[in-house]
Amino acid sequence: MFAFAWIYIESDQNKSSQSKTGTFYLPDEVTKLIKSGMELGEADDQVFSQLNSKQQGGSVGILTHGVVDRKAYYSQAIILALIPFLNKNLY
């Protein structure tokens, strides 16, 4: 199983754009818990002995040992989704 997020931005004029974060694979132990119905953040907390990890570095932070945190992970995708809004003359 792998993780990624779609970023979808819509203006008040119904113009929209989207982008996707990078993709990374989840450990088998986390995947098993998710397939049993557990939410990703809860599975991470259980497997990695953390508390409320989804409000901190998230899976990406845990698995990259803090090299990529949630903010950095989502930031690039948000910026890429904004391209049409930043270049209205092209889109």
Side-chain angles (χ1 to χ4, degrees):
M1 182 180 285
F2 53 88
F4 64 90
W6 279 104
I7 303 299
Y8 181 84
I9 299 174
E10 184 174 342
S11 73
D12 53 1
Q13 291 87 29
N14 291 329
K15 182 175 186 166
S16 65
S17 180
Q18 62 187 18
S19 182
K20 185 178 82 59
T21 62
T23 302
F24 61 96
Y25 287 94
L26 296 171
D28 290 339
E29 212 174 329
V30 173
T31 298
K32 287 176 191 170
L33 292 171
I34 292 169
K35 287 182 177 182
S36 75
M38 189 177 286
E39 189 268 331
L40 174 58
E42 293 175 19
D44 283 340
D45 286 349
Q46 184 171 318
V47 171
F48 299 107
S49 301
Q50 304 228 350
L51 183 62
N52 204 19
S53 62
K54 70 179 181 178
Q55 299 300 322
Q56 298 165 33
S59 296
V60 71
I62 293 169
L63 295 170
T64 64
H65 299 265
V67 174
V68 178
D69 63 14
R70 289 184 71 178
K71 183 178 178 182
Y73 181 64
Y74 288 105
S75 292
Q76 188 177 55
I78 292 168
I79 293 165
L80 294 174
L82 287 169
I83 287 174
F85 298 97
L86 297 171
N87 298 280
K88 292 178 183 178
N89 59 325
L90 299 173
Y91 295 88

